[in-house]
Amino acid sequence: MAYEHEFDGHRALLFTPGASGDPVLLQRRRGALIQDRSPDLVAPAIEPLLKRPGPGR
């Protein structure tokens, strides 16, 4: 886990799915899910997951 100072904007954690079909989640420090408000952050996180080989591939 990495920490850095945030001088502007919001701090959040991005959770990638463990299983195929699970959503990518973006969570604020206080627990609110905000992935629907930040598609520009979620979309690049999904791209490598689509290229990841799954079971039986």
Side-chain angles (χ1 to χ4, degrees):
M1 186 176 278
Y3 296 93
E4 64 183 59
H5 293 285
E6 188 66 35
F7 297 107
D8 61 346
H10 300 280
R11 248 184 227 159
L13 293 173
L14 182 87
F15 295 95
T16 56
S20 179
D22 287 348
V24 170
L25 301 176
L26 188 61
Q27 183 181 32
R28 283 181 146 173
R29 284 178 31 184
R30 296 187 184 230
L33 295 175
I34 58 170
Q35 64 272 5
D36 57 330
R37 291 184 241 161
S38 301
D40 56 324
L41 296 175
V42 173
I46 293 173
E47 287 179 31
L49 299 174
L50 296 175
K51 296 176 185 173
R52 181 172 61 181
R57 286 189 191 176

